[in-house]
């Protein structure tokens, strides 16, 4: 479906009670659930190594090695055991062997994260555990993905972290879409070829949402300098590729790369160059 939308072959959606219609591209951009589905619905196709790397990104490099094997992916699970609420519906619940990861997603354009909503979702999961509606896990990681500025400024997050949940220990991570985009667009040294296909789908979805319009191919190429560090190749000249910011200045970049005995996987370099051609801008289609 994603490819059909990108290629403009999905047609248009007619609005009820009106002669107006929207392209599927515009429908996608307006619907956060479609972005959530594309990203987290594809977790099942990632290799173990790639999944660990993605979870490192979402958990800010913490505790991902202690998750264990991924056992279930639930998109918009209905948590029905919370007193006073008919149900609570977080966006994603990832169940690993040794921990659960609860994720609340906010699109790049729309409402902000709300700590009260997080609290309800965490308490609803705790209620499910108490009622034995699902197997209890000793660790739960809560991830707020997107639009966290207001929540961070509120001062309420620390209070939520300090609350004790008898059913599990709790960690809270606030991550932005830019964190995930930076991870996906960087050259990957783990995983298998199919992981690249998943990351390509993610980048196309991010592009449809306008999340990568400001990404500079020159900056992407300079990220390759970091990848080539400690490998037997010098890509220093690429660091000087013109990359003018809005004020017209050219950022400083180092022209030296350390060399060691490690060899470079040139296939990865070729793959990277195909994904990130040296154009003037990364234009949203």
């Amino acid at each position: 479906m994603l490819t059909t939308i990108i290629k403009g072959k999905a047609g248009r959606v007619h609005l009820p009670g009106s002669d107006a219609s929207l392209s599927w591209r515009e429908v996608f951009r307006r619907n956060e659930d479609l972005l959530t589905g594309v990203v987290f619905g594809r977790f099942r196709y990632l290799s173990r190594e790639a999944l660990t790397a993605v979870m490192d990104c979402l958990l800010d490099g913490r505790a991902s090695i202690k998750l264990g094997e991924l056992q279930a992916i639930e998109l918009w699970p209905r948590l029905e055991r919370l007193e006073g609420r008919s149900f609570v519906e977080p966006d994603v619940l990832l169940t690993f062997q040794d921990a659960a990861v609860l994720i609340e997603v906010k699109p790049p354009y729309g409402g902000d994260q709300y700590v009260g909503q997080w609290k309800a979702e965490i308490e609803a999961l705790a209620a499910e555990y108490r009622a034995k509606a699902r197997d209890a896990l000793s660790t739960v990681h809560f991830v707020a993905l997107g639009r966290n500025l207001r929540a961070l400024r509120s001062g309420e997050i620390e209070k939520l972290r300090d609350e004790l949940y008898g059913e599990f220990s709790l960690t809270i991570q606030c991550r932005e879409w830019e964190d995930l985009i930076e991870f996906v667009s960087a050259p990957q040294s783990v995983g298998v070829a199919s992981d690249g296909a998943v990351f390509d789908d993610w980048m196309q979805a991010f592009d449809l949402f306008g999340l990568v319009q400001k990404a500079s191919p020159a900056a992407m190429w300079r990220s390759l300098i970091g990848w080539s560090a400690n490998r037997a190749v010098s890509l220093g000249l690429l660091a000087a590729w013109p990359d003018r910011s809005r004020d017209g200045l050219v950022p400083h970049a180092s022209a030296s790369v350390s060399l060691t005995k490690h060899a470079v996987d040139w296939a990865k370099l070729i793959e990277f160059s195909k994904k990130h051609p040296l154009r003037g801008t990364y234009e949203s289609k």
Side-chain angles (χ1 to χ4, degrees), residues 5-266:
I5 294 173
I6 292 169
K7 296 296 184 180
K9 300 297 184 182
R12 301 182 68 84
V13 178
H14 289 279
L15 303 179
S18 171
D19 293 333
S21 64
L22 293 174
S23 68
W24 267 102
R25 182 185 297 271
E26 186 60 28
V27 171
F28 188 97
R29 290 173 67 104
R30 294 186 180 196
N31 192 327
E32 65 180 272
D33 291 341
L34 292 175
L35 181 60
T36 300
V38 167
V39 174
F40 294 99
R42 282 162 170 74
F43 267 45
R44 68 184 75 250
Y45 303 119
L46 291 173
S47 68
R48 182 175 182 179
E49 294 78 10
L51 179 60
T52 298
V54 172
M55 296 311 300
D56 272 339
C57 174
L58 291 177
L59 299 180
D60 199 17
R62 304 171 188 173
S64 61
I65 60 173
K66 298 180 181 180
L67 296 174
E69 295 287 339
L70 178 62
Q71 297 183 334
I73 302 170
E74 297 177 69
L75 300 179
W76 311 288
R78 289 172 63 97
L79 307 180
E80 301 177 333
R81 305 289 176 164
L82 184 61
E83 186 176 352
R85 299 280 294 269
S86 56
F87 68 92
V88 174
E89 190 176 80
D91 289 304
V92 185
L93 177 58
L94 304 176
T95 301
F96 291 83
Q97 180 179 349
D98 299 314
V101 181
L102 196 61
I103 304 173
E104 178 59 33
V105 176
K106 296 298 181 187
Y109 314 109
D112 294 321
Q113 294 281 359
Y114 173 51
V115 177
Q117 183 181 20
W118 306 356
K119 181 178 174 63
E121 292 172 359
I122 294 166
E123 290 180 344
L125 182 61
E128 294 264 314
Y129 287 171
R130 286 194 298 270
K132 303 188 183 304
R134 60 180 66 234
D135 293 337
L137 292 164
S138 60
T139 301
V140 172
H141 301 283
F142 185 89
V143 178
L145 178 58
R147 301 190 65 83
N148 284 291
L149 184 57
R150 179 173 295 181
L152 289 169
R153 287 176 174 174
S154 71
E156 297 176 355
I157 296 177
E158 290 306 320
K159 296 179 182 178
L160 187 59
R161 284 194 177 106
D162 291 340
E163 291 194 23
L164 298 178
Y165 293 88
E167 291 73 25
F168 47 74
S169 62
L170 174 69
T171 69
I172 297 175
Q173 303 294 336
C174 296
R175 307 297 286 159
E176 297 299 332
W177 289 106
E178 289 77 9
D179 299 317
L180 192 55
I181 291 170
E182 181 179 1
F183 164 78
V184 174
S185 60
Q188 301 296 322
S189 58
V190 297
V192 297
S194 58
D195 297 327
V198 171
F199 295 154
D200 283 346
D201 281 354
W202 288 2
M203 285 301 291
Q204 291 184 78
F206 297 152
D207 190 10
L208 280 172
F209 257 85
L211 285 168
V212 292
Q213 288 177 313
K214 297 180 182 179
S216 163
M220 294 177 184
W221 274 95
R222 275 202 304 280
S223 72
L224 186 57
I225 305 303
W227 172 80
S228 66
N230 301 320
R231 291 175 169 84
V233 64
S234 176
L235 297 173
L237 292 178
L238 286 176
W241 186 270
D243 179 25
R244 298 187 179 275
S245 59
R246 291 183 178 179
D247 58 9
L249 299 178
V250 179
H252 171 75
S254 171
S256 63
V257 178
S258 60
L259 303 179
T260 70
K261 63 182 180 180
H262 296 294
V264 167
D265 183 347
W266 287 103

